[in-house]
Amino acid sequence: MAPAPRRGRMQTPHEKTVFVAGATGYIGGRLVPRLLDAGYAVRCLARSRLKLESRPWTARPGVTIVEGDAASDAALLAGMRGAAYAYYLVHSMMAAGRSYAERDLELAGRFARAAARAGVRRIVYLGGLGETGDGLSEHLASRRDVEAALRSTGVPVTVLRAAMIIGSGSASFEILRYLVERLPVMVTPRWVRTEAQPIAIRNVLHYLVAALDVPETAGKTLDIGGPDVLPYDAILRVMAEELGLRRRVVIPVPVLTPRLSSLWIHLVTPVSHRMARPLAEGLRNRVVCRDNEALRLMPQELLSVQGSIRAALGRTGSGGVETSWTDAGPLPGDPAWAGGASFEDRRSVVLRADPERVYRSVCRIGGGNGWYAADSLWRIRGFLDRLVGGPGLR
Ligand SMILES: NC(=O)c1ccc[n+]([C@@H]2O[C@H](COP(=O)([O-])OP(=O)(O)OC[C@H]3O[C@@H](n4cnc5c(N)ncnc54)[C@H](OP(=O)(O)O)[C@@H]3O)[C@@H](O)[C@H]2O)c1
């Protein structure tokens, strides 16, 4: 548990100390090592110390784990006191399901109040890009509400707004990859023609770190995107090219609702309908940067859509995926309805091989390599599991 906060005392913030909420997530898990590389001491909020400790960078000097929930003022204050900057990378979609928007709003307000009490100089938040005004999807509207809640106590906030992030393991990238790999012909919602400005994960991480060094970013909302603006069907085409597959036939139809699309995504890809639904709903909003201010303030070389897909596929192929959309949420294990017990089946055999070779062989089981026998039966079992809403053979 986090140490109890010292009431009434505001420590002078240390310029090189930052607090990261959401360190076990997709973005947070990649940001922390880059902050360490940039010379920052990083305090990471984690609901489960054990989960965070599975990241190799937690052993690096400069990392402090603050165990606690973002709903706990004590944990937030313990992490923020003495930190000059606080990143808000919390997202409740995996943890809270349909009520994520309400939960995110509450947590963001709490975070802003704790930041003000602790004397944090700046909050940095990664939100969602998209048209402003009416007609926003529930997910994008929720991102806007979080921005407002973070600003509510007067601590300067830097908001970076991103559309689809292309990186190995990101939910939207994995949805695209699986759809393209598995479906030569795709019936899609008509929003597949909506324009988007995706950005490579490495460019997002650069902006997130650089924002601390550029005081002009304080109090600003900056749209961040890559160099290309293109509709989703064009992104699907680039993905097929990069995977070395024939051009996919995309047939947009007006009747495919976000609910149906998300159930379809659930069936065809490893991404659950719960996660896919807000993403599918968001497809109707054009997500294109309004200006280039972020690039002017924090110059860097932006990767094209093709370049970012190539880089992400390279990572996926080499098994070098740093973080994945599956990282957030409860640790995998037996579901509550199984009574928390696990079935154990022990067998032993003596092998004439060194432990390292044996371990490597064990690690090869499953995934693309298949099982010892009856692979097709396992695939049928996985398909049936997905039909009833389960994870299938992820
Ligand atoms: N990933 C993208 O493609 C993308 C694109 C555009 C914008 N963004 C924005 O980037 C931000 C981060 O997204 P992400 O993809 O990294 O999210 P994510 O992978 O779902 O991670 C969410 C993080 O929030 C933590 N969290 C949730 N509820 C918490 C609570 N009550 N207390 C403490 N921690 C809690 C999770 O911890 P547990 O591990 O304990 O669950 C996890 O570390 C979001 O605002 C998102 O809108 C992401």
Side-chain angles (χ1 to χ4, degrees), residues 12-13 17 28 49 54 78 135 155 168 182 209 296 308-309 378:
T12 313
T17 301
R49 171 182 286 272
S54 66
V155 177
S168 53
R182 296 185 173 174
V209 178
R296 184 181 65 76
S308 9
I309 290 181
W378 281 106

Side-chain angles (χ1 to χ4, degrees), residues 374-382:
D375 267 356
S376 51
L377 292 181
W378 281 106
R379 275 199 290 275
I380 292 170
R381 186 207 174 281

Side-chain angles (χ1 to χ4, degrees), residues 87-259:
Y87 284 91
Y88 187 76
L89 300 168
V90 168
H91 204 190
S92 303
M93 221 186 318
M94 287 295 276
R98 289 296 293 158
S99 58
Y100 73 89
E102 217 174 286
R103 181 85 177 138
D104 273 345
L105 185 61
E106 188 228 313
L107 294 178
R110 199 173 276 279
F111 191 85
R113 288 190 293 278
R117 271 182 70 190
V120 163
R121 291 206 193 119
R122 187 147 41 117
I123 295 173
V124 181
Y125 169 60
L126 177 66
L129 186 61
E131 294 161 347
T132 45
D134 296 338
L136 279 186
S137 70
E138 189 193 345
H139 185 231
L140 275 184
S142 146
R143 303 298 82 203
R144 297 287 181 276
D145 292 345
V146 167
E147 289 177 17
L150 290 174
R151 286 196 200 98
S152 64
T153 58
V155 177
V157 183
T158 299
V159 176
L160 301 174
R161 287 181 176 169
M164 170 193 279
I165 295 178
I166 301 183
S168 53
S170 117
S172 33
F173 173 78
E174 291 303 325
I175 290 176
L176 284 185
R177 181 166 77 85
Y178 276 95
L179 289 177
V180 169
E181 269 180 356
R182 296 185 173 174
L183 303 174
V185 179
M186 275 177 250
V187 177
T188 63
R190 62 177 186 278
W191 304 305
V192 77
R193 298 267 155 83
T194 311
E195 280 185 327
Q197 190 168 356
I199 181 165
I201 180 70
R202 71 178 67 171
N203 293 138
V204 174
L205 295 169
H206 171 88
Y207 281 137
L208 281 167
V209 178
L212 304 191
D213 288 332
V214 184
E216 296 94 300
T217 61
K220 285 221 163 84
T221 297
L222 299 163
D223 292 357
I224 60 171
D228 304 322
V229 175
L230 65 184
Y232 290 104
D233 56 356
I235 302 173
L236 290 168
R237 266 203 301 281
V238 178
M239 177 70 89
E241 275 166 30
E242 287 304 311
L243 283 166
L245 298 168
R246 270 209 330 265
R247 194 183 165 121
R248 275 22 201 159
V249 180
V250 177
I251 309 169
V253 292
V255 288
L256 209 54
T257 61
R259 190 178 129 75

